[in-house]
């Protein structure tokens, strides 16, 4: 992790566009060269806090996802900017658009929804439990693949996820009203997921479908 002075940081991010912010200020910046810097607040910049910082987790997860052939961002560097109590991750964008944006323009694309369900089953089979798995954090790439951004909060196990974790992850997936509105009247995602899941059983199918229906009703 590189130490950056505030001056260097300001220089690096000069004329950047803010892609996301929160009550603490700028959070995601697109630089003029189209690379992205994402900032994370750290309470203390002692080594422990930095080792377990979301920036570090982001970097580790990116590396693991690449090993698993799951498209994600390409890391450029990790920074620590002490004066503003931030760590940061600098990466190359994953080219494409958010699933949410795609569905805005193509709300009836059933093949797309089926492929999304299949993708979710695939990452679960690869051991990925993605806590930020909503439609804004999954990118649809120009070569028609799905990929993940916003990857600080995930666990990647060496084994295919068990049934309990699969169900739990659906609670993250069907969480945002805007997303659910696209899929409220269909179970295409769920059906495709279940068809792709090798460990599926009739009782799991039943639980899975019931849970998803309940989650969608909460919108
Ligand atoms: N790799 C990327 N490719 C394309 N857009 C990105 C990428 N990373 C971030 N963005 C854009 O920045 C926004 C915020 O990034 P994200 O990491 O999801 O932050 P947040 O924590 O605010 O959700 C995304 O919703 C997306 O519009
Ligand atoms: Mg996000």
């Amino acid at each position: 992790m590189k130490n950056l002075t505030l001056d260097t940081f300001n220089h690096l991010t000069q004329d950047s566009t803010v892609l996301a912010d929160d009550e603490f200020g700028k959070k995601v910046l697109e630089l003029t060269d189209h690379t992205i810097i994402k900032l994370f607040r750290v309470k203390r910049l002692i080594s422990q806090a930095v080792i377990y910082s979301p920036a570090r987790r982001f970097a580790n997860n990116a590396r693991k996802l690449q090993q698993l052939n799951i498209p994600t961002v390409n890391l450029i560097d990790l920074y620590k900017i002490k004066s503003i109590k931030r760590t940061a991750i600098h990466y190359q964008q994953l080219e494409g658009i958010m699933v949410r944006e795609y569905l805005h323009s193509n709300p009836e694309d059933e093949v797309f929804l089926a492929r999304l369900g299949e993708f979710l089953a695939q990452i679960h089979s690869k051991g990925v439990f993605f806590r930020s798995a909503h439609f804004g954090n999954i990118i649809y790439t120009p070569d028609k693949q799905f990929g993940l951004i916003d990857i600080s909060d995930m666990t990647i196990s060496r084994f295919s996820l068990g049934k309990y974790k699969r169900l739990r992850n659906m609670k993250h997936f069907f969480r945002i009203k805007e997303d659910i509105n696209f899929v409220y009247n269909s179970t295409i995602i769920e059906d495709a997921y279940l068809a792709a899941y090798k460990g599926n059983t009739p009782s799991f199918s039943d639980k899975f479908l019931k849970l998803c229906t309940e989650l969608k009703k909460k919108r």
Side-chain angles (χ1 to χ4, degrees), residues 62 76 133 175-176 205:
I76 299 172
R175 177 177 37 148
I176 294 177
S205 271

Side-chain angles (χ1 to χ4, degrees), residues 20 27-28 38 98 100 130 132 134 136-138 149-151:
K27 205 166 73 167
V28 185
K38 181 164 187 180
M98 292 187 279
R100 190 180 291 151
F130 184 29
S132 315
H134 58 62
N137 288 332
I138 304 177
I149 62 168
D150 206 351
I151 53 174

Side-chain angles (χ1 to χ4, degrees), residues 107-155:
E108 311 288 334
D109 191 339
E110 300 190 345
V111 176
F112 175 86
L113 290 176
R115 289 201 47 228
L116 180 60
E118 212 178 297
F119 173 72
L120 198 60
Q122 276 164 9
I123 67 170
H124 283 172
S125 294
K126 289 180 176 179
V128 176
F129 183 82
F130 184 29
R131 288 188 188 75
S132 315
H134 58 62
F135 293 17
N137 288 332
I138 304 177
I139 298 281
Y140 188 51
T141 69
D143 55 349
K144 300 191 187 324
Q145 291 201 68
F146 294 100
L148 307 180
I149 62 168
D150 206 351
I151 53 174
S152 293
D153 294 319
M154 61 171 55
T155 24

Side-chain angles (χ1 to χ4, degrees), residues 19-21 27-28 36 38 40 58 72-73 91-98 100-101 134 136-137 139 148-151:
L19 295 181
D21 53 11
K27 205 166 73 167
V28 185
I36 291 185
K38 181 164 187 180
F40 299 95
F58 191 114
T72 189
V73 305
Y91 56 84
Q92 213 88 48
Q93 300 205 22
L94 175 63
E95 218 192 316
I97 58 171
M98 292 187 279
R100 190 180 291 151
E101 289 174 272
H134 58 62
N137 288 332
I139 298 281
L148 307 180
I149 62 168
D150 206 351
I151 53 174

Side-chain angles (χ1 to χ4, degrees), residues 13-213:
T13 57
Q14 203 173 10
D15 298 323
S16 59
T17 313
V18 180
L19 295 181
D21 53 11
D22 61 18
E23 72 265 40
F24 303 104
K26 297 172 186 171
K27 205 166 73 167
V28 185
L29 301 170
E30 179 170 353
L31 310 195
T32 46
D33 65 359
H34 300 295
T35 61
I36 291 185
I37 289 189
K38 181 164 187 180
L39 296 160
F40 299 95
R41 292 189 317 125
V42 267
K43 289 198 193 85
R44 293 171 303 159
L45 278 162
I46 56 162
S47 57
Q48 280 281 335
V50 170
I51 290 168
Y52 297 109
S53 72
R56 181 73 75 185
R57 291 202 312 264
F58 191 114
N60 290 341
N61 290 336
R63 192 171 30 85
K64 289 188 201 160
L65 289 173
Q66 272 157 1
Q67 285 165 359
L68 292 169
N69 277 322
I70 300 171
T72 189
V73 305
N74 277 314
L75 288 184
I76 299 172
D77 227 330
L78 269 168
Y79 309 125
K80 182 159 69 174
I81 313 117
K82 285 193 176 137
S83 53
I84 53 168
K85 291 194 171 166
R86 296 287 190 280
T87 56
I89 189 108
H90 188 181
Y91 56 84
Q92 213 88 48
Q93 300 205 22
L94 175 63
E95 218 192 316
I97 58 171
M98 292 187 279
V99 161
R100 190 180 291 151
E101 289 174 272
Y102 181 86
L103 286 173
H104 257 296
S105 342
N106 308 274
E108 311 288 334
D109 191 339
E110 300 190 345
V111 176
F112 175 86
L113 290 176
R115 289 201 47 228
L116 180 60
E118 212 178 297
F119 173 72
L120 198 60
Q122 276 164 9
I123 67 170
H124 283 172
S125 294
K126 289 180 176 179
V128 176
F129 183 82
F130 184 29
R131 288 188 188 75
S132 315
H134 58 62
F135 293 17
N137 288 332
I138 304 177
I139 298 281
Y140 188 51
T141 69
D143 55 349
K144 300 191 187 324
Q145 291 201 68
F146 294 100
L148 307 180
I149 62 168
D150 206 351
I151 53 174
S152 293
D153 294 319
M154 61 171 55
T155 24
I156 305 178
S157 101
R158 288 189 294 128
F159 308 102
S160 171
L161 292 189
K163 296 188 166 58
Y164 174 71
K165 279 201 172 158
R166 288 171 183 260
L167 293 172
R168 231 177 55 195
N169 206 189
M170 295 319 286
K171 297 187 183 175
H172 300 108
F173 188 70
F174 289 131
R175 177 177 37 148
I176 294 177
K177 188 174 170 211
E178 190 188 351
D179 297 344
I180 294 172
N181 282 339
F182 292 118
V183 293
Y184 192 70
N185 288 315
S186 90
T187 55
I188 296 177
I189 291 182
E190 294 92 314
D191 297 340
Y193 180 101
L194 291 168
Y197 174 31
K198 294 207 173 64
N200 189 25
T201 59
S203 116
F204 179 77
S205 271
D206 200 44
K207 273 192 203 136
F208 186 87
L209 290 169
K210 268 193 194 131
L211 171 69
C212 293
T213 307

